[in-house]
Coordinates of all heavy atoms in Angstrom, one line a residue:
V30 N 87.1 109.2 75.4 CA 86.1 109.9 76.0 C 84.7 109.2 76.2 O 84.0 109.3 77.3 CB 85.8 111.3 75.4 CG1 84.6 112.1 75.9 CG2 87.3 112.1 75.5
G31 N 84.3 108.5 75.1 CA 83.0 107.8 75.1 C 83.0 106.8 76.2 O 82.0 106.6 77.0
V32 N 84.0 106.0 76.4 CA 84.0 104.9 77.3 C 84.1 105.5 78.7 O 83.3 105.0 79.6 CB 85.4 104.0 77.2 CG1 85.6 103.1 78.3 CG2 85.3 103.3 75.8
L33 N 84.9 106.5 78.9 CA 85.0 107.0 80.3 C 83.7 107.9 80.8 O 83.3 107.8 81.9 CB 86.2 107.8 80.5 CG 87.5 107.1 80.4 CD1 88.7 107.9 80.2 CD2 87.7 106.2 81.7
H34 N 83.2 108.5 79.8 CA 81.8 109.2 80.1 C 80.8 108.2 80.4 O 80.0 108.4 81.5 CB 81.5 110.1 79.0 CG 80.3 110.9 79.2 ND1 80.2 111.9 80.1 CD2 79.0 110.7 78.9 CE1 79.0 112.4 80.2 NE2 78.2 111.8 79.5
R35 N 80.7 107.2 79.7 CA 79.7 106.1 79.8 C 79.9 105.5 81.2 O 78.9 105.2 82.0 CB 79.6 105.1 78.7 CG 78.6 104.1 78.6 CD 78.6 103.3 77.4 NE 79.9 102.7 77.0 CZ 80.7 103.2 75.9 NH1 80.3 104.2 75.2 NH2 81.8 102.5 75.8
E36 N 81.2 105.0 81.5 CA 81.3 104.2 82.6 C 81.5 105.0 83.9 O 81.1 104.6 85.0 CB 82.7 103.4 82.5 CG 82.6 102.4 81.4 CD 83.8 101.5 81.2 OE1 84.7 101.9 81.9 OE2 83.8 100.7 80.3
L37 N 82.2 106.3 83.8 CA 82.5 106.9 85.1 C 81.9 108.3 85.1 O 82.1 109.1 86.0 CB 84.0 107.1 85.1 CG 84.8 105.7 85.1 CD1 86.3 106.0 85.2 CD2 84.4 104.9 86.4
G38 N 81.2 108.7 84.0 CA 80.7 110.1 84.0 C 81.7 111.2 83.9 O 81.5 112.4 84.2
I39 N 82.9 110.9 83.3 CA 84.0 111.8 83.1 C 83.9 112.6 81.8 O 83.5 112.1 80.8 CB 85.4 111.1 83.1 CG1 85.4 110.0 84.3 CG2 86.6 112.0 82.9 CD1 85.7 110.7 85.5
S40 N 84.1 113.9 82.0 CA 83.9 114.9 80.9 C 85.2 114.7 79.9 O 86.3 114.3 80.4 CB 83.7 116.3 81.3 OG 84.9 116.7 82.0
Q41 N 85.0 115.3 78.8 CA 86.1 115.4 77.8 C 87.3 116.1 78.4 O 88.4 115.7 78.2 CB 85.5 116.0 76.4 CG 86.6 115.9 75.4 CD 87.5 117.2 75.3 OE1 87.2 118.2 75.8 NE2 88.8 116.9 75.0
P42 N 87.1 117.4 78.9 CA 88.1 118.0 79.4 C 89.0 117.3 80.6 O 90.2 117.3 80.6 CB 87.6 119.4 80.1 CG 86.3 119.6 79.3 CD 85.9 118.2 79.1
A43 N 88.2 116.5 81.4 CA 88.8 115.8 82.5 C 89.7 114.6 81.8 O 90.8 114.3 82.4 CB 87.8 115.2 83.4
V44 N 89.1 113.9 80.8 CA 89.9 112.8 80.2 C 91.1 113.4 79.5 O 92.2 112.8 79.6 CB 88.9 112.3 79.0 CG1 89.7 111.2 78.2 CG2 87.7 111.4 79.7
S45 N 91.0 114.7 78.9 CA 92.2 115.2 78.3 C 93.3 115.6 79.4 O 94.5 115.4 79.3 CB 91.8 116.5 77.7 OG 91.0 116.3 76.5
Q46 N 92.8 116.0 80.6 CA 93.8 116.2 81.7 C 94.5 114.8 82.1 O 95.7 114.9 82.3 CB 93.1 116.8 82.8 CG 92.7 118.3 82.6 CD 92.0 118.9 83.8 OE1 91.5 118.1 84.7 NE2 91.7 120.1 83.7
H47 N 93.7 113.8 82.2 CA 94.3 112.6 82.6 C 95.3 112.0 81.5 O 96.3 111.4 81.8 CB 93.3 111.5 82.8 CG 92.6 111.8 84.2 ND1 93.1 111.5 85.4 CD2 91.2 112.1 84.5 CE1 92.2 111.8 86.3 NE2 91.2 112.1 85.8
L48 N 94.9 112.2 80.2 CA 95.7 111.8 79.1 C 97.1 112.7 79.1 O 98.2 112.1 78.8 CB 95.0 111.9 77.8 CG 93.9 110.9 77.5 CD1 93.1 111.3 76.3 CD2 94.6 109.5 77.3
R49 N 97.0 113.9 79.6 CA 98.2 114.7 79.5 C 99.1 114.2 80.6 O 100.3 114.1 80.5 CB 97.8 116.2 79.9 CG 99.1 117.1 79.9 CD 98.7 118.6 79.9 NE 97.4 119.0 80.5 CZ 96.4 119.4 79.9 NH1 96.4 119.7 78.6 NH2 95.3 119.7 80.5
V50 N 98.5 113.8 81.8 CA 99.4 113.2 82.9 C 100.1 111.9 82.4 O 101.3 111.7 82.6 CB 98.6 113.0 84.2 CG1 99.3 112.2 85.1 CG2 98.1 114.3 84.8
L51 N 99.3 111.1 81.7 CA 99.8 109.9 81.2 C 100.9 110.1 80.2 O 101.9 109.4 80.2 CB 98.6 108.9 80.7 CG 97.7 108.3 81.8 CD1 96.5 107.8 81.0 CD2 98.4 107.2 82.6
R52 N 100.6 111.1 79.3 CA 101.6 111.4 78.3 C 102.9 111.9 78.9 O 104.0 111.5 78.6 CB 100.9 112.3 77.3 CG 101.9 112.7 76.1 CD 101.3 113.6 75.1 NE 101.4 115.0 75.9 CZ 100.2 115.7 76.0 NH1 99.0 115.4 75.5 NH2 100.3 116.8 76.7
D53 N 102.7 112.9 79.7 CA 103.9 113.6 80.3 C 104.7 112.7 81.2 O 106.0 113.0 81.3 CB 103.4 114.8 81.2 CG 102.8 116.0 80.4 OD1 103.0 115.9 79.1 OD2 102.3 116.8 81.0
S54 N 104.2 111.7 81.8 CA 104.8 110.7 82.6 C 105.4 109.4 81.8 O 106.0 108.6 82.3 CB 104.0 110.2 83.7 OG 102.8 109.6 83.3
G55 N 105.1 109.5 80.5 CA 105.5 108.5 79.6 C 104.7 107.2 79.5 O 105.2 106.3 78.8
F56 N 103.7 107.2 80.1 CA 102.8 105.9 80.1 C 102.1 105.7 78.7 O 101.8 104.6 78.3 CB 101.7 106.0 81.1 CG 102.2 105.5 82.4 CD1 102.7 106.4 83.3 CD2 102.1 104.2 82.9 CE1 103.2 106.0 84.5 CE2 102.5 103.8 84.1 CZ 103.1 104.6 85.0
V57 N 101.9 106.9 78.1 CA 101.2 106.7 76.7 C 102.0 107.6 75.7 O 102.6 108.6 76.1 CB 99.7 107.1 76.7 CG1 98.9 106.3 77.5 CG2 99.6 108.6 77.1
R58 N 101.8 107.1 74.5 CA 102.3 107.9 73.3 C 101.2 108.5 72.6 O 100.1 107.8 72.5 CB 103.3 107.2 72.4 CG 104.6 106.9 73.1 CD 105.5 106.1 72.1 NE 104.9 105.1 71.3 CZ 105.1 103.7 71.6 NH1 105.8 103.4 72.6 NH2 104.5 102.9 70.9
V59 N 101.3 109.6 71.8 CA 100.2 110.0 71.0 C 100.7 110.1 69.6 O 101.9 110.4 69.3 CB 99.7 111.4 71.5 CG1 100.8 112.4 71.4 CG2 98.4 111.9 70.8
R60 N 99.7 109.9 68.7 CA 99.9 109.8 67.2 C 98.9 110.8 66.7 O 97.7 110.5 66.9 CB 100.0 108.5 66.6 CG 100.2 108.4 65.1 CD 100.2 107.1 64.6 NE 98.9 106.3 64.7 CZ 97.8 106.6 63.8 NH1 98.0 107.4 62.8 NH2 96.7 105.9 64.1
A61 N 99.4 111.7 65.9 CA 98.4 112.7 65.3 C 98.1 112.1 63.7 O 99.0 111.8 63.0 CB 98.9 114.1 65.2
D62 N 96.9 112.2 63.5 CA 96.4 111.9 62.1 C 95.3 112.9 61.7 O 94.2 112.8 62.1 CB 95.8 110.5 62.0 CG 95.4 110.0 60.6 OD1 95.8 110.7 59.6 OD2 94.6 109.0 60.5
A63 N 95.8 113.8 61.0 CA 94.9 115.1 60.7 C 94.5 115.7 62.0 O 95.4 116.1 62.8 CB 93.8 114.7 59.8
Q64 N 93.2 115.8 62.2 CA 92.7 116.5 63.4 C 92.5 115.5 64.6 O 92.2 115.9 65.6 CB 91.4 117.1 63.0 CG 91.4 118.2 62.0 CD 92.1 119.4 62.4 OE1 93.3 119.3 62.9 NE2 91.4 120.6 62.3
R65 N 92.7 114.2 64.3 CA 92.5 113.3 65.3 C 93.8 112.9 66.1 O 94.9 112.9 65.5 CB 91.8 111.9 64.8 CG 90.5 112.3 64.2 CD 89.8 111.1 63.6 NE 89.5 110.0 64.7 CZ 89.1 108.8 64.5 NH1 88.9 108.4 63.3 NH2 88.9 108.0 65.5
R66 N 93.6 112.6 67.4 CA 94.8 112.1 68.2 C 94.5 110.6 68.7 O 93.4 110.3 69.2 CB 95.0 112.9 69.5 CG 95.2 114.4 69.0 CD 96.6 114.6 68.6 NE 96.9 116.0 68.2 CZ 96.9 116.5 67.0 NH1 96.4 115.8 65.9 NH2 97.1 117.8 66.7
F67 N 95.6 109.8 68.4 CA 95.4 108.4 68.9 C 96.5 108.2 70.0 O 97.6 108.5 69.9 CB 95.6 107.5 67.7 CG 94.7 107.5 66.7 CD1 94.7 108.5 65.6 CD2 93.6 106.7 66.6 CE1 93.8 108.6 64.7 CE2 92.6 106.8 65.6 CZ 92.7 107.8 64.6
Y68 N 96.0 107.4 71.0 CA 96.9 107.2 72.2 C 97.1 105.6 72.2 O 96.3 104.9 71.8 CB 96.2 107.6 73.5 CG 96.3 109.1 73.6 CD1 95.5 109.9 73.0 CD2 97.3 109.7 74.4 CE1 95.5 111.3 73.2 CE2 97.4 111.0 74.5 CZ 96.6 111.9 74.0 OH 96.7 113.2 74.1
M69 N 98.4 105.3 72.6 CA 98.8 104.0 72.7 C 99.6 103.8 74.0 O 100.3 104.8 74.3 CB 99.4 103.4 71.5 CG 100.9 104.0 71.3 SD 101.3 104.6 69.7 CE 100.0 105.5 69.2
I70 N 99.7 102.7 74.6 CA 100.6 102.5 75.8 C 102.1 102.5 75.4 O 102.4 101.8 74.5 CB 100.2 101.1 76.4 CG1 98.8 101.3 77.2 CG2 101.1 100.7 77.6 CD1 98.3 100.0 77.7
D71 N 102.9 103.0 76.3 CA 104.3 102.9 76.2 C 104.7 102.1 77.5 O 104.4 102.4 78.5 CB 105.0 104.2 76.3 CG 106.5 104.2 76.0 OD1 107.0 103.1 76.5 OD2 107.1 105.1 75.7
P72 N 105.2 100.9 77.3 CA 105.4 100.0 78.5 C 106.4 100.3 79.5 O 106.5 99.7 80.5 CB 105.6 98.5 77.7 CG 106.3 98.9 76.4 CD 105.4 100.3 76.2
A73 N 107.3 101.2 79.1 CA 108.5 101.4 80.0 C 108.2 101.8 81.3 O 108.6 101.3 82.3 CB 109.4 102.6 79.3
P74 N 107.1 102.8 81.6 CA 106.9 103.2 83.0 C 106.2 102.0 83.8 O 106.3 101.8 85.0 CB 105.8 104.3 82.8 CG 106.2 104.9 81.5 CD 106.6 103.8 80.7
L75 N 105.5 101.1 82.9 CA 104.8 100.0 83.6 C 105.9 99.0 84.2 O 105.7 98.4 85.2 CB 103.9 99.3 82.6 CG 102.6 100.1 82.3 CD1 101.9 99.4 81.1 CD2 101.7 100.3 83.5
R76 N 107.0 98.9 83.4 CA 108.1 98.1 83.8 C 108.8 98.7 85.2 O 109.1 98.0 86.0 CB 109.2 97.9 82.8 CG 108.8 96.8 81.8 CD 109.9 96.6 80.8 NE 110.3 97.7 79.9 CZ 109.8 97.9 78.8 NH1 108.8 97.2 78.3 NH2 110.2 99.0 78.0
E77 N 108.8 100.1 85.1 CA 109.3 100.7 86.4 C 108.5 100.4 87.6 O 109.0 100.0 88.7 CB 109.3 102.2 86.2 CG 109.8 103.0 87.4 CD 109.5 104.5 87.2 OE1 109.5 105.0 86.0 OE2 109.5 105.2 88.1
A78 N 107.2 100.5 87.4 CA 106.2 100.1 88.5 C 106.3 98.6 88.9 O 106.5 98.3 90.1 CB 104.7 100.4 88.2
S79 N 106.5 97.8 88.0 CA 106.6 96.3 88.2 C 108.0 96.0 88.9 O 107.9 95.2 90.0 CB 106.5 95.5 86.8 OG 106.8 94.2 87.1
D80 N 109.1 96.7 88.5 CA 110.3 96.6 89.2 C 110.2 97.0 90.7 O 110.7 96.3 91.5 CB 111.4 97.3 88.5 CG 111.7 96.7 87.1 OD1 111.3 95.6 86.8 OD2 112.4 97.4 86.3
W81 N 109.6 98.0 90.9 CA 109.4 98.5 92.2 C 108.5 97.7 93.2 O 109.0 97.3 94.2 CB 108.7 100.0 92.2 CG 108.8 100.6 93.6 CD1 109.8 101.4 94.1 CD2 107.8 100.6 94.6 NE1 109.5 101.8 95.3 CE2 108.2 101.4 95.7 CE3 106.5 100.0 94.6 CZ2 107.5 101.5 96.9 CZ3 105.8 100.1 95.8 CH2 106.2 100.9 96.9
I82 N 107.6 97.1 92.6 CA 106.7 96.2 93.3 C 107.5 94.8 93.5 O 107.3 94.2 94.5 CB 105.4 95.9 92.5 CG1 104.5 97.2 92.6 CG2 104.6 94.6 93.1 CD1 103.3 97.1 91.6
A83 N 108.3 94.5 92.6 CA 109.1 93.3 92.7 C 109.9 93.2 93.9 O 110.0 92.1 94.6 CB 109.9 93.0 91.4
A84 N 110.2 94.2 94.4 CA 111.1 94.3 95.6 C 110.4 93.9 96.9 O 110.9 93.6 97.8 CB 111.8 95.7 95.8
F85 N 109.0 93.9 96.8 CA 108.1 93.5 98.0 C 107.5 92.2 97.7 O 106.7 91.7 98.6 CB 107.1 94.6 98.0 CG 107.6 96.0 98.5 CD1 108.0 96.9 97.4 CD2 107.9 96.3 99.7 CE1 108.5 98.2 97.8 CE2 108.5 97.6 100.0 CZ 108.9 98.5 99.0
R86 N 107.8 91.6 96.6 CA 107.2 90.2 96.3 C 107.4 89.2 97.2 O 106.5 88.4 97.5 CB 107.6 89.8 94.9 CG 106.7 88.9 94.2 CD 107.0 88.8 92.8 NE 106.2 89.7 92.0 CZ 106.5 90.5 91.1 NH1 107.7 90.5 90.7 NH2 105.7 91.4 90.5
K87 N 108.5 89.3 97.9 CA 108.9 88.3 98.9 C 107.9 88.2 100.1 O 107.9 87.3 100.8 CB 110.3 88.5 99.5 CG 110.4 89.9 100.2 CD 111.8 90.0 100.8 CE 112.0 91.3 101.7 NZ 113.3 91.6 102.1
F88 N 107.1 89.3 100.4 CA 106.2 89.4 101.5 C 105.0 88.6 101.2 O 104.3 88.2 102.2 CB 105.9 90.8 101.7 CG 107.0 91.7 102.3 CD1 107.7 92.7 101.6 CD2 107.5 91.4 103.6 CE1 108.6 93.4 102.1 CE2 108.5 92.1 104.1 CZ 109.1 93.1 103.3
W89 N 104.7 88.3 100.0 CA 103.5 87.5 99.8 C 103.8 86.2 99.0 O 103.0 85.3 99.0 CB 102.5 88.3 99.0 CG 102.7 88.7 97.5 CD1 102.6 87.9 96.4 CD2 103.2 89.9 97.1 NE1 103.0 88.5 95.3 CE2 103.4 89.9 95.7 CE3 103.5 91.2 97.7 CZ2 103.8 90.9 94.9 CZ3 103.9 92.2 96.9 CH2 104.0 92.2 95.5
E90 N 105.0 86.0 98.3 CA 105.2 84.8 97.6 C 105.2 83.6 98.5 O 104.6 82.6 98.2 CB 106.5 84.9 96.9 CG 106.4 85.6 95.4 CD 107.6 85.7 94.7 OE1 108.8 85.5 95.3 OE2 107.5 85.9 93.5
H91 N 105.8 83.7 99.7 CA 105.8 82.5 100.5 C 104.4 82.1 101.0 O 104.1 81.0 101.2 CB 106.7 82.7 101.8 CG 106.2 83.7 102.8 ND1 106.4 85.0 102.7 CD2 105.6 83.5 104.0 CE1 105.8 85.6 103.7 NE2 105.4 84.7 104.6
R92 N 103.6 83.1 101.2 CA 102.2 82.9 101.4 C 101.5 82.2 100.3 O 100.6 81.2 100.5 CB 101.4 84.1 101.9 CG 101.9 84.7 103.1 CD 101.2 85.9 103.6 NE 101.7 86.5 104.8 CZ 101.9 87.8 105.0 NH1 101.7 88.7 104.1 NH2 102.4 88.2 106.2
L93 N 101.8 82.6 99.2 CA 101.1 81.9 97.9 C 101.7 80.5 97.9 O 101.0 79.6 97.4 CB 101.5 82.8 96.7 CG 100.8 84.0 96.6 CD1 101.2 84.8 95.4 CD2 99.2 83.9 96.6
D94 N 102.9 80.3 98.1 CA 103.5 78.9 98.0 C 102.9 78.1 99.1 O 102.6 76.9 98.9 CB 105.1 79.1 98.3 CG 105.9 79.6 97.2 OD1 105.3 79.7 96.1 OD2 107.0 80.0 97.4
A95 N 102.6 78.6 100.3 CA 102.0 77.8 101.4 C 100.5 77.5 100.9 O 100.0 76.4 101.2 CB 102.0 78.6 102.6
L96 N 99.9 78.5 100.3 CA 98.6 78.2 99.9 C 98.5 77.1 98.8 O 97.6 76.2 98.8 CB 97.9 79.5 99.3 CG 96.5 79.4 98.6 CD1 95.5 78.8 99.6 CD2 96.1 80.7 98.0
A97 N 99.5 77.1 97.9 CA 99.5 76.0 96.8 C 99.8 74.8 97.5 O 99.2 73.7 97.1 CB 100.6 76.4 95.8
D98 N 100.7 74.7 98.5 CA 100.9 73.4 99.2 C 99.6 72.9 99.8 O 99.3 71.6 99.8 CB 102.0 73.6 100.2 CG 103.4 73.8 99.6 OD1 103.5 73.6 98.4 OD2 104.2 74.2 100.4
E99 N 98.9 73.8 100.4 CA 97.6 73.4 101.2 C 96.6 73.0 100.2 O 95.9 72.0 100.4 CB 97.1 74.6 102.0 CG 96.0 74.3 102.9 CD 96.3 73.2 103.9 OE1 97.5 73.1 104.4 OE2 95.3 72.3 104.2
I100 N 96.4 73.6 99.1 CA 95.6 73.1 98.0 C 95.9 71.7 97.5 O 95.0 70.9 97.3 CB 95.5 74.1 96.9 CG1 94.8 75.4 97.3 CG2 94.9 73.6 95.7 CD1 94.9 76.5 96.2
E101 N 97.2 71.5 97.3 CA 97.7 70.1 96.7 C 97.5 69.1 97.9 O 97.0 68.0 97.6 CB 99.2 70.2 96.5 CG 99.7 68.9 95.9 CD 98.9 68.5 94.6 OE1 98.5 69.3 93.8 OE2 98.7 67.3 94.5
R102 N 97.6 69.5 99.1 CA 97.4 68.6 100.3 C 95.9 68.1 100.3 O 95.5 67.0 100.4 CB 97.7 69.2 101.6 CG 98.1 68.3 102.6 CD 98.7 69.0 103.9 NE 100.0 69.5 103.5 CZ 100.3 70.8 103.9 NH1 99.5 71.6 104.4 NH2 101.4 71.3 103.5
G103 N 95.0 69.1 100.1 CA 93.6 68.8 100.0 C 93.2 67.9 98.9 O 92.4 67.2 99.0
K104 N 93.9 68.2 97.7 CA 93.5 67.5 96.6 C 93.8 65.9 96.9 O 93.2 65.0 96.5 CB 94.3 67.9 95.3 CG 93.7 69.2 94.7 CD 94.6 69.6 93.6 CE 94.1 70.8 93.0 NZ 94.8 71.3 91.8

Side-chain angles (χ1 to χ4, degrees):
V30 169
V32 168
L33 293 165
H34 181 72
R35 186 172 52 256
E36 292 180 3
L37 305 173
I39 306 291
S40 68
Q41 185 277 325
V44 171
S45 292
Q46 289 175 345
H47 286 291
L48 285 169
R49 184 175 22 254
V50 170
L51 288 167
R52 187 186 66 236
D53 291 349
S54 60
F56 277 87
V57 298
R58 292 186 312 255
V59 63
R60 177 179 67 82
D62 184 15
Q64 300 291 50
R65 296 180 69 185
R66 300 288 179 263
F67 293 88
Y68 283 83
M69 71 230 41
I70 290 178
D71 185 334
L75 293 170
R76 281 191 291 274
E77 176 188 336
S79 178
D80 291 347
W81 189 87
I82 290 169
F85 297 92
R86 203 166 266 132
K87 67 179 181 181
F88 292 110
W89 68 81
E90 278 186 342
H91 72 279
R92 291 183 182 136
L93 292 176
D94 291 343
L96 176 61
D98 291 345
E99 190 59 36
I100 289 170
E101 186 56 38
R102 208 171 292 129
K104 287 179 182 177

